[in-house]
Amino acid sequence: MAQLDSGDGFETLAIHAGQEPDPLTGAVVPPIYQVSTYKQDGVGGLRGGTIAGAASGPGRWIEGYDYSRTANPTRGALEECLAALEGGVRALAFASGMAAEDCLIRAVCRPGDHVLIPHDAYGGTFRLFDKVASMWGVSYHPVPVSDPGAVRDALAAHGARMVWVETPTNQLLSIADLPALAQLAHSAGALLAVDNTFASPYLQQPVALGADAVIHSTTKYIGGHSDVVGGALVVSDAGLAEQLAFLQNATGSAAGPFDAWLTLRGVKTLPVRMDRHCSNAAQVAIMLANHPAVAQVYYPGLADHPGHETAAKQMRGFGGMVSFRHAGGAEAAVAMCGRTRLFTLGESLGGVESLIEHPGRMTHASAAGSPLEVPSDLVRLSVGIENCDDLIEDLRAALR
Ligand SMILES: *Cc1c(COP(=O)(O)O)cnc(C)c1O
């Protein structure tokens, strides 16, 4: 049985946290408990014994099981691992990132409450606030979260139950100063929720920087192989964790066992993948910044990126996402997206394979006409972990 030490590093936790060998068979990875219900040892006597009870670790998920919507051992293993990686008291795994976001909003907000969201938020997050939460009396206000002064003013003008932040943000890679925003949010009586999808816990741990809740689309870097959709919430407060777990069970938005298992398989290699994503993306960003067909590059690793210093303070690396504006305009940007050989034209991000997309007509189409509309000449790259020279040559050829 893996004995984890409080000083164990991230790479060790990614492989061992929540993932003790199966006490029944010795299986080295947690099995897929593809099961809906569990035999009870007498009415109300949930089994605390062999399989679940023998697992070591903080043991959040080892109490008896009754029904897999409420708890499932494979999902529990993933949740324990994610809580360890983010340094939170508890994690919950969901069927998708959007299901996680929905659970957080509904657990925290009541009709009449107000939320500040990034003015360049992920399109699906904007849609959830604009078209769904608004129907239940929860209003929102977009702010440039990279500007603490703007957040302070918005808090003074509108108040907020929650300050919702992405950093880096989903399309323009802007950077929010998390300790500064935590202080502003808390002194206004608001929670700070951080969508950490772009950075992953390997590069940035928002709880340690003051966040109350961390949101993940585990579909992206945590899963890492473009083969499963999932989401997670990690929180720093046990009371909030209880409220979220109650709502997750009451509404039935949890991840299934096989999806949880795939995600857990992915997360083991998160540190080595992220290192390569970061180094490949940095080289791609430098090439683009020097290319005549490129008007502007958005990558927090570039020294002239406005968030570079903040990113360097709160992140271990600058990530694998690069956006840029094509100097030839919208049609040239769209045409380029159809001309790459290795970069696959597709939505999503964070997988081992490189992807290219046109946010204005794809991932962020739902923000068209809103304050969150993206430039029409913007191209977004999810730089994968292929050979970097091959990737750069592919982009050069498509820009030609
Ligand atoms: C993809 C994504 C989401 C939504 O997650 P799903 O797993 O697609 O539901 C939320 N936030 C960010 C930043 C994302 O990139």
Side-chain angles (χ1 to χ4, degrees), residues 95-99 101 122 124-125 166 168-170 195-198 215-220 228-231 348-349 380:
S96 71
M98 295 317 302
E101 295 192 12
Y122 170 64
T125 300
E166 286 172 30
T169 55
N170 191 318
D195 184 332
N196 202 28
T197 299
F198 264 44
I215 302 135
H216 276 290
S217 168
T218 57
T219 313
K220 316 294 169 55
V228 59
V229 170
S348 197
L349 61 113
R380 191 185 76 177

XYZ file of all heavy atoms in Angstrom, residues 95-99 101 122 124-125 166 168-170 195-198 215-220 228-231 348-349 380, ligand 1:
234
model
N -19.973 15.080 -14.311
C -20.089 14.560 -15.671
C -19.448 15.483 -16.698
O -19.099 15.051 -17.792
C -21.563 14.331 -16.016
N -19.305 16.749 -16.378
C -18.652 17.700 -17.287
C -18.239 18.927 -16.482
O -18.685 19.113 -15.336
C -19.617 18.135 -18.409
O -20.628 18.971 -17.878
N -17.426 19.763 -17.101
C -17.065 21.021 -16.468
C -18.291 21.894 -16.241
O -18.414 22.546 -15.198
N -19.220 21.887 -17.199
C -20.414 22.716 -17.048
C -21.280 22.233 -15.893
O -21.884 23.046 -15.183
C -21.229 22.742 -18.355
C -20.527 23.402 -19.542
S -19.637 24.940 -19.172
C -20.945 25.957 -18.502
N -21.356 20.913 -15.698
C -22.129 20.381 -14.562
C -21.501 20.854 -13.249
O -22.218 21.185 -12.293
C -22.176 18.858 -14.618
N -19.770 23.660 -12.838
C -20.058 25.091 -12.708
C -21.490 25.307 -12.215
O -21.742 26.124 -11.330
C -19.861 25.790 -14.058
C -18.420 25.761 -14.534
C -18.171 26.689 -15.717
O -19.054 27.528 -16.037
O -17.093 26.579 -16.328
N -14.790 31.895 -20.699
C -15.126 30.760 -21.563
C -16.581 30.911 -22.024
O -17.462 31.236 -21.222
C -14.941 29.463 -20.760
C -15.473 28.237 -21.437
C -14.926 27.792 -22.637
C -16.534 27.524 -20.890
C -15.426 26.664 -23.262
C -17.028 26.389 -21.511
C -16.471 25.964 -22.696
O -16.972 24.847 -23.317
N -18.997 28.929 -22.760
C -20.004 28.120 -22.067
C -20.332 28.675 -20.685
O -21.476 28.599 -20.232
N -19.337 29.249 -20.032
C -19.554 29.860 -18.718
C -20.436 31.090 -18.877
O -21.400 31.291 -18.134
C -18.202 30.258 -18.089
O -17.416 29.071 -17.948
C -18.387 30.914 -16.734
N -11.163 33.320 -14.390
C -10.338 32.360 -15.125
C -8.956 32.978 -15.216
O -8.847 34.174 -15.464
C -10.826 32.177 -16.568
C -12.078 31.383 -16.732
C -12.556 31.438 -18.194
O -11.728 31.554 -19.111
O -13.779 31.377 -18.387
N -5.029 31.467 -16.764
C -5.248 32.356 -17.899
C -6.674 32.217 -18.446
O -7.265 31.144 -18.317
C -4.242 31.859 -18.945
C -3.232 31.063 -18.177
C -3.953 30.485 -17.015
N -7.203 33.278 -19.057
C -8.556 33.210 -19.609
C -8.552 32.432 -20.919
O -7.521 32.279 -21.576
C -9.156 34.609 -19.853
O -8.262 35.350 -20.685
C -9.358 35.335 -18.551
N -9.743 31.971 -21.251
C -9.880 30.973 -22.301
C -9.497 31.432 -23.711
O -9.213 30.588 -24.545
C -11.299 30.415 -22.295
C -11.423 29.189 -23.174
O -10.887 29.145 -24.259
N -12.121 28.191 -22.709
N -11.611 29.220 -12.165
C -11.589 28.168 -13.181
C -10.121 27.939 -13.549
O -9.497 28.776 -14.202
C -12.418 28.611 -14.398
C -12.517 27.520 -15.467
O -11.588 26.697 -15.564
O -13.508 27.525 -16.214
N -9.591 26.797 -13.096
C -8.162 26.512 -13.235
C -7.879 25.568 -14.410
O -6.824 24.927 -14.459
C -7.651 25.894 -11.920
C -6.155 26.047 -11.720
O -5.543 26.983 -12.218
N -5.553 25.107 -10.989
N -8.827 25.491 -15.330
C -8.728 24.539 -16.439
C -7.478 24.767 -17.283
O -6.794 23.821 -17.666
C -9.976 24.658 -17.333
O -11.128 24.343 -16.550
C -9.902 23.725 -18.521
N -7.172 26.034 -17.590
C -6.058 26.320 -18.508
C -4.702 26.039 -17.876
O -3.772 25.642 -18.553
C -6.118 27.785 -18.974
C -6.816 27.941 -20.295
C -7.988 27.251 -20.541
C -6.296 28.749 -21.293
C -8.640 27.371 -21.759
C -6.935 28.878 -22.516
C -8.108 28.192 -22.755
N -12.530 25.353 -10.083
C -13.356 24.674 -11.078
C -12.439 24.063 -12.126
O -11.467 24.703 -12.539
C -14.288 25.696 -11.775
C -15.164 26.405 -10.744
C -15.117 25.019 -12.865
C -15.242 27.886 -10.943
N -12.759 22.855 -12.553
C -12.025 22.255 -13.659
C -12.954 21.664 -14.694
O -13.927 21.007 -14.347
C -11.114 21.116 -13.183
C -9.802 21.593 -12.669
N -8.836 22.121 -13.497
C -9.303 21.649 -11.416
C -7.795 22.468 -12.762
N -8.052 22.209 -11.503
N -12.610 21.882 -15.948
C -13.059 20.980 -16.987
C -11.940 19.944 -17.068
O -10.882 20.204 -17.643
C -13.226 21.716 -18.318
O -13.402 20.759 -19.343
N -12.156 18.764 -16.468
C -11.122 17.720 -16.501
C -11.004 17.110 -17.890
O -10.081 16.351 -18.166
C -11.410 16.609 -15.468
O -12.709 16.067 -15.730
C -11.380 17.147 -14.049
N -11.951 17.480 -18.749
C -11.893 17.136 -20.172
C -10.560 17.564 -20.791
O -10.082 16.962 -21.737
C -13.017 17.910 -20.907
O -14.238 17.774 -20.193
C -13.185 17.423 -22.335
N -9.980 18.618 -20.255
C -8.839 19.275 -20.898
C -7.529 18.676 -20.387
O -7.271 17.517 -20.617
C -8.938 20.796 -20.666
C -10.358 21.362 -20.886
C -10.842 21.284 -22.317
C -12.336 21.589 -22.484
N -12.817 22.844 -21.950
N -12.392 11.777 -22.892
C -13.421 11.764 -21.853
C -13.810 13.202 -21.491
O -12.956 14.093 -21.459
C -12.920 10.995 -20.600
C -11.665 11.606 -20.004
C -14.007 10.874 -19.539
N -15.117 13.415 -21.250
C -15.618 14.709 -20.792
C -15.868 14.602 -19.294
O -16.463 13.620 -18.830
C -16.928 15.066 -21.537
C -17.600 16.294 -20.909
C -16.642 15.332 -23.015
N -15.391 15.590 -18.536
C -15.611 15.564 -17.093
C -15.331 16.906 -16.472
O -14.746 17.802 -17.104
N -15.745 17.055 -15.228
C -15.501 18.308 -14.515
C -15.216 18.032 -13.057
O -15.403 16.909 -12.571
N -12.164 22.311 -28.053
C -11.520 21.720 -26.880
C -10.024 21.994 -26.888
O -9.498 22.718 -27.770
C -11.773 20.220 -26.780
O -11.476 19.760 -25.468
N -9.317 21.435 -25.928
C -7.912 21.772 -25.708
C -7.344 20.814 -24.669
O -8.067 20.039 -24.050
C -7.795 23.211 -25.185
C -8.500 23.480 -23.841
C -7.507 23.794 -22.729
C -9.487 24.617 -23.977
N -6.843 30.242 -32.167
C -6.402 29.689 -30.892
C -5.752 28.329 -31.112
O -6.293 27.486 -31.832
C -7.583 29.546 -29.925
C -7.142 29.231 -28.493
C -8.317 28.968 -27.582
N -8.872 27.638 -27.819
C -9.881 27.113 -27.119
N -10.462 27.825 -26.173
N -10.319 25.903 -27.382
C -14.049 23.438 -21.602
C -14.114 24.427 -20.527
C -15.188 24.441 -19.624
C -16.359 23.512 -19.746
O -16.050 22.184 -19.499
P -16.769 20.927 -20.198
O -16.014 19.767 -19.672
O -16.662 21.119 -21.679
O -18.194 20.941 -19.768
C -15.140 25.363 -18.586
N -14.138 26.244 -18.469
C -13.107 26.264 -19.328
C -12.011 27.274 -19.147
C -13.062 25.366 -20.391
O -12.039 25.423 -21.258
